[in-house]
Amino acid sequence: MNQITGWVEQAQIGNRFALNQLIDHFQNDIFRMVYYRIHNQADAEDVTQDIFIQVIKKIKTLKDRSRFKPWLYRIAINRIRDFFRKKRLLFFMGSNSDIEADNSLDNYITTSTEKDIFRKELKQLLKTLSKDLSKWEREVFLLRYIDDMDVKEIAITLKKNENTVKTHLYRSIKKFQKHHQLREFIKRGEHEI
Amino acid sequence: MKSKSKHLNDDEILWTLVESKDHNKDQEKHLMGCKLCHEKQTSINNELNQLGTLARQYAPKPRRSLRPVLITQNVNTSYRQMKKTFVYVVMFIICIGGVFGMWPSQTQKIDSIVMEQAKTKIDSLINPYIEDSFQIDNYSILPNVFKYIIVDDYNNSEDSFYDYFLQMEDTVIEVNLDINEQTKFQNIKLFRSKMLS
């Protein structure tokens, strides 16, 4: 973490190399985070790039350098929210065809190998689980288990009390337990790994 | 306080996953001693961690570099942008001003109506008086031949008639003659006598 703090410090005084290091270090994590919320690779790439543009613009405003990761994830969450707002707006305006077309292309590309079939199934099961969770339950659950953040980091990211985060996490795990299909899939996946 | 013989229920096991280990020491102690509860907890915990591992493993890799290309903004560009912004702001202000200026406000409307009414009233009251008094008071003292001649602006005129007329008027003022309808004949007489003398 000290290395990241150092990069942040350097990036804040305009060191481009440090900024690139930061982006390279987090780009896969952020892409994955966005992907499991948007469920579309092309859109996830665009949103991830937007997130890093925002990071470059706002990095000087970050006061506590040790909190870079929660700060970055908060930007990501906001950008994802913006993406869904825009998508809803496009849907109401009747110009959602390009998004749908992009989705179908994404599906077409990922149905070639066994690994891709497995990936598609996981994506579908996570989508189903997400539908059963409330907005905050879903966010807390994904941040905790998919993005591997602890409760304290989640609380900072979502600007919520730690106890609130724990309650959402507890409820989401309880709902997860009822998803036998996903649990079966996980057991199957254990053998595949 | 939980006894060692009583197992933790499902909710309590879930809470042990959410809470930090040192939060509830009794439950932690029970989990250490009870194999059944410990297995239950580990099973759920493993499933959740496994889900994370699978998600990380099976997430697609980005097809392109997601690092944005940084372009340095030189002074000229920022100056041009500022200039552009200024022009937009001015245009916006003009548009807003134009839109609001085109329609008079309620107060302006009321003012104009009141002014119109007042003007009509004043005209209706003053016009007959002005016409009469103008003819009677000012021109009644003149010979009949000049009675209906209207002088617009004799200050700038060089006509000899106007010079004559002005001279006469000045004399009237000098001798302090009262020109009104009642005394007009007396005044004419007085004026003529003065002129003759």
Side-chain angles (χ1 to χ4, degrees):
Chain A
M1 200 67 192
N2 280 336
Q3 194 183 21
I4 291 165
T5 315
W7 284 336
V8 174
E9 197 178 345
Q10 287 297 307
Q12 282 183 323
I13 55 170
N15 186 334
R16 202 177 285 186
F17 175 77
L19 194 62
N20 287 342
Q21 289 292 317
L22 271 176
I23 294 169
D24 289 346
H25 187 268
F26 283 103
Q27 77 169 2
N28 282 341
D29 290 348
I30 294 295
F31 172 75
R32 191 178 56 241
M33 183 235 181
V34 176
Y35 177 76
Y36 280 118
R37 282 157 180 83
I38 289 176
H39 301 292
N40 179 286
Q41 188 165 359
D43 287 337
E45 283 168 357
D46 291 343
V47 173
T48 309
Q49 206 158 33
D50 276 355
I51 291 163
F52 286 119
I53 290 169
Q54 195 76 8
V55 168
I56 294 165
K57 279 183 187 171
K58 303 275 177 185
I59 195 155
K60 283 180 184 171
T61 62
L62 176 66
K63 284 170 191 166
D64 191 350
R65 287 167 194 138
S66 61
R67 288 185 174 185
F68 177 76
K69 194 182 170 187
W71 179 77
L72 174 63
Y73 275 76
R74 189 158 63 238
I75 290 176
I77 287 166
N78 289 335
R79 298 309 291 183
I80 293 165
R81 203 175 296 157
D82 288 347
F83 170 81
F84 280 116
R85 263 186 214 146
K86 197 176 155 188
K87 200 175 169 183
R88 262 202 301 273
L89 195 72
L90 285 170
F91 179 77
F92 283 120
M93 286 165 76
S95 55
N96 204 29
S97 52
D98 52 336
I99 292 168
E100 294 304 324
D102 200 22
N103 248 329
S104 59
L105 182 73
D106 197 41
N107 291 342
Y108 175 75
I109 290 163
T110 56
T111 48
S112 50
T113 63
E114 202 179 323
K115 194 181 175 185
D116 290 331
I117 295 166
F118 195 82
R119 177 187 296 161
K120 203 179 163 189
E121 200 180 342
L122 173 65
K123 189 174 92 172
Q124 204 54 47
L125 287 167
L126 278 173
K127 235 178 174 177
T128 320
L129 173 69
S130 297
K131 278 176 191 167
D132 290 341
L133 303 176
S134 74
K135 179 189 160 190
W136 291 113
E137 284 166 8
R138 183 173 61 236
E139 204 51 71
V140 168
F141 185 83
L142 291 175
L143 285 172
R144 175 70 189 90
Y145 293 109
I146 310 290
D147 304 312
D148 205 20
M149 286 174 100
D150 58 33
V151 172
K152 198 179 172 185
E153 280 179 319
I154 297 169
I156 297 166
T157 306
L158 301 178
K159 284 186 176 172
K160 286 206 175 284
N161 187 291
E162 272 187 46
N163 287 330
T164 313
V165 171
K166 280 175 188 172
T167 310
H168 287 309
L169 191 58
Y170 165 77
R171 285 179 190 159
S172 61
I173 297 171
K174 212 169 179 187
K175 285 179 185 173
F176 162 79
Q177 278 194 305
K178 288 172 189 167
H179 269 258
H180 300 292
Q181 219 181 337
L182 180 60
R183 291 176 72 186
E184 282 298 316
F185 176 83
I186 291 164
K187 274 174 195 164
R188 232 180 335 127
E190 254 176 82
H191 304 297
E192 297 236 352
I193 292 167
Chain B
M1 184 177 265
K2 290 270 166 200
S3 67
K4 277 192 177 178
S5 57
K6 201 178 176 187
H7 292 294
L8 297 177
N9 61 34
D10 288 349
D11 286 345
E12 284 169 332
I13 289 172
L14 286 189
W15 270 113
T16 60
L17 294 171
V18 172
E19 295 280 7
S20 55
K21 281 185 179 175
D22 50 320
H23 190 263
N24 195 332
K25 284 179 181 170
D26 292 332
Q27 284 181 352
E28 200 56 40
K29 208 174 170 183
H30 177 83
L31 281 169
M32 296 284 275
C34 178
K35 202 181 168 188
L36 193 77
C37 290
H38 184 72
E39 269 177 10
K40 263 188 181 177
Q41 191 215 29
T42 316
S43 163
I44 301 164
N45 201 23
N46 282 349
E47 268 180 33
L48 290 164
N49 290 331
Q50 189 61 28
L51 175 68
T53 314
L54 285 173
R56 280 189 286 278
Q57 196 178 346
Y58 285 95
K61 293 273 174 280
R63 287 174 292 203
R64 57 187 161 96
S65 170
L66 302 175
R67 189 201 294 168
V69 181
L70 295 171
I71 302 161
T72 24
Q73 230 183 14
N74 57 27
V75 183
N76 281 345
T77 326
S78 58
Y79 172 72
R80 229 176 284 145
Q81 271 184 343
M82 273 174 67
K83 210 170 142 185
K84 224 178 195 179
T85 315
F86 177 74
V87 169
Y88 285 140
V89 168
V90 169
M91 278 170 71
F92 178 75
I93 290 167
I94 289 168
C95 287
I96 294 293
V99 166
F100 284 105
M102 271 163 73
W103 290 285
S105 65
Q106 195 65 23
T107 334
Q108 279 175 318
K109 273 182 191 172
I110 292 165
D111 283 353
S112 63
I113 291 164
V114 169
M115 285 301 285
E116 196 69 36
Q117 283 174 350
K119 201 182 163 195
T120 319
K121 192 117 187 173
I122 289 163
D123 284 351
S124 67
L125 287 169
I126 286 174
N127 276 354
Y129 170 74
I130 287 175
E131 277 170 18
D132 292 347
S133 59
F134 189 72
Q135 282 181 7
I136 293 162
D137 295 343
N138 294 338
Y139 297 104
S140 57
I141 57 167
L142 296 172
N144 280 343
V145 71
F146 302 127
K147 202 173 176 181
Y148 297 105
I149 293 171
I150 295 161
V151 180
D152 289 327
D153 186 5
Y154 43 78
N155 286 334
N156 299 326
S157 174
E158 289 174 359
D159 198 312
S160 54
F161 164 72
Y162 300 132
D163 292 342
Y164 165 72
F165 180 74
L166 282 169
Q167 209 179 7
M168 275 192 351
E169 205 177 43
D170 288 345
T171 323
V172 169
I173 294 160
E174 271 172 30
V175 293
N176 198 19
L177 288 173
D178 182 18
I179 302 168
N180 59 45
E181 206 171 359
Q182 289 167 351
T183 59
K184 65 179 178 182
F185 297 111
Q186 287 175 358
N187 285 337
I188 291 165
K189 270 184 182 176
L190 201 70
F191 174 69
R192 279 177 182 163
S193 63
K194 285 265 178 191
M195 288 296 285
L196 285 168
S197 63

